[in-house]
Amino acid sequence: MELAIKSLSKTYPNGVQALKNVSLSISTGMFGLLGPNGAGKSTLMRTIATLQEADEGTIQLNGIDVLKEKHKVRELLGYLPQEFGIYPEVTAEHMLDHIAVLKGIHNKKERKTLINDLLHQTNLWDLRRTRLGEFSGGTKQRFGIAQALLGNPKLVIVDEPTAGLDPQERNRFHNILSEIGEHVVVILSTHIVDDVSELCTNMAIIHEGELLLTAEPLKAMNELKGKIWSKVISKKEFPECGKKFEIVMTRLFAGKIVIHVLSDNRPDDTFKMIDPELEDVYFTTINKNSAPVTA
Ligand code: ADP
């Protein structure tokens, strides 16, 4: 499976240019599309999912023209949107059965087997007779992935799936995604860097509608080796440090601030060299393309 996006652009009627000449190639495996809120991720996801038109550009999925042959794409697609409505009175099992019929699986026995497998795979077996209105955020997301996987999709798109999940729910969701990613193209769109570092073999960073980087996370981190320096400072020291050093990112730890600085040499002997994290890659890339970090 190969998804080839070429020179895709989209401007909304209000003048916001959500995608600027985006070109991207994605093959089987877990692909992370990373970017801050408003970067254009959902616009790109909805366009690939045939729910929205682009102004310019092409998308090919194994020879299918995605922007024109929408029905063909929908047969191969599983989509978990950022927000999806549920029928609160319907049980998980009934809803999946209903969606399976809509997806063209008419044999009742076949549907039952498929749905039972999915309920186990997404850890929802015990909740199969629970009404969807009683589902928590995490179980609702797992139901979302179960419905997306109905009909054996070859391309699975999940848009911001872990925002709002607690760590345990997020972990479960990650396990399910990484299983799927072995066989099909999975695009995971997120602003959470850890989602990508935990799951994805390839990634892209998008910011203000522009594709800034496509890379293998491990390689991208390796390229920063020897250039990321860390130090714990107090909040008071922050403004001064912001002026003196190129701060890539900051993190609070025990009431203090841990700063990561990008520099070819040790900024001074109070800094220690650290192994670059994916967040360093992310913020280095984003910072290069926006206003510098200030105090
Ligand atoms: P992300 O998913 O990365 O948060 P979006 O694709 O939702 O980004 O949004 C990209 C930009 O396009 C944002 O500035 C957003 O406000 C704008 N936008 C998104 N959808 C619409 C719309 N239907 N009409 C106008 N502007 C939109």
Side-chain angles (χ1 to χ4, degrees):
M1 271 284 147
E2 184 81 22
L3 183 75
I5 300 164
K6 290 216 176 90
S7 310
L8 206 69
S9 291
K10 169 76 182 177
T11 302
Y12 286 109
N14 62 0
V16 173
Q17 211 183 338
L19 296 174
K20 299 174 189 165
N21 203 18
V22 169
S23 296
L24 188 59
S25 234
I26 303 176
S27 25
T28 302
M30 290 281 305
F31 188 92
L33 181 70
L34 191 58
N37 286 330
K41 302 182 297 295
S42 292
T43 303
L44 183 58
M45 296 301 100
R46 286 196 301 262
T47 312
I48 301 169
T50 73
L51 300 172
Q52 188 169 311
E53 305 290 333
D55 299 332
E56 274 171 63
T58 59
I59 308 177
Q60 297 269 334
L61 176 66
N62 266 18
I64 301 171
D65 183 335
V66 173
L67 300 176
K68 295 205 177 101
E69 301 171 279
K70 294 187 175 148
H71 282 288
K72 281 194 188 165
V73 178
R74 285 173 195 163
E75 282 168 17
L76 299 173
L77 176 76
Y79 178 49
L80 174 57
Q82 205 168 343
E83 279 177 23
F84 64 101
I86 48 161
Y87 293 93
E89 299 301 327
V90 182
T91 66
E93 197 173 40
H94 275 135
M95 194 67 220
L96 288 176
D97 192 62
H98 179 68
I99 299 169
V101 173
L102 292 180
K103 286 202 178 176
I105 308 161
H106 295 297
N107 183 309
K108 201 170 172 182
K109 218 169 140 195
E110 186 191 339
R111 275 204 314 273
K112 181 128 187 94
T113 314
L114 194 67
I115 289 168
N116 286 357
D117 285 352
L118 276 174
L119 285 166
H120 283 297
Q121 193 186 348
T122 52
N123 257 309
L124 289 173
W125 179 251
D126 294 342
L127 292 172
R128 66 193 182 282
R129 305 221 163 102
T130 303
R131 291 180 309 160
L132 291 171
E134 290 167 37
F135 274 34
S136 70
T139 48
K140 200 177 147 202
Q141 280 307 61
R142 279 187 275 140
F143 173 79
I145 202 75
Q147 64 79 27
L149 291 180
L150 273 171
N152 246 332
K154 300 286 177 278
L155 169 65
V156 176
I157 295 177
V158 283
D159 198 356
E160 301 271 1
T162 64
L165 297 192
D166 69 34
Q168 200 185 9
E169 286 171 333
R170 190 168 150 264
N171 224 344
R172 275 204 189 132
F173 196 80
H174 276 185
N175 287 336
I176 295 164
L177 281 186
S178 65
E179 255 176 53
I180 310 163
E182 288 176 16
H183 313 290
V184 302
V185 179
V186 180
I187 308 178
L188 168 71
S189 148
T190 182
H191 65 274
I192 302 169
V193 179
D194 284 346
D195 281 353
V196 174
S197 55
E198 284 172 26
L199 291 171
C200 300
T201 42
N202 281 287
M203 63 176 277
I205 295 177
I206 184 172
H207 180 47
E208 294 176 351
E210 251 178 280
L211 199 74
L212 300 182
L213 176 85
T214 47
E216 291 172 27
L218 281 174
K219 275 196 185 154
M221 288 190 284
N222 257 330
E223 274 176 26
L224 282 181
K225 233 179 171 134
K227 295 183 181 175
I228 301 292
W229 307 85
S230 173
K231 178 182 175 173
V232 182
I233 59 170
S234 67
K235 286 181 186 154
K236 264 203 333 244
E237 291 171 277
F238 186 75
E240 192 56 30
C241 285
K243 279 186 217 146
K244 270 170 59 186
F245 308 113
E246 187 178 343
I247 298 180
V248 178
M249 64 171 236
T250 62
R251 190 179 278 152
L252 284 174
F253 182 73
K256 296 227 167 195
I257 304 177
V258 181
I259 56 171
H260 286 192
V261 164
L262 177 70
S263 171
D264 286 339
N265 305 303
R266 187 189 296 268
D268 66 40
D269 56 13
T270 61
F271 281 87
K272 71 169 197 277
M273 189 197 285
I274 54 161
D275 283 336
E277 301 168 26
L278 197 57
E279 286 209 15
D280 297 314
V281 173
Y282 177 65
F283 287 114
T284 308
T285 308
I286 299 267
N287 291 350
K288 251 193 276 174
N289 289 275
S290 35
V293 181
T294 50

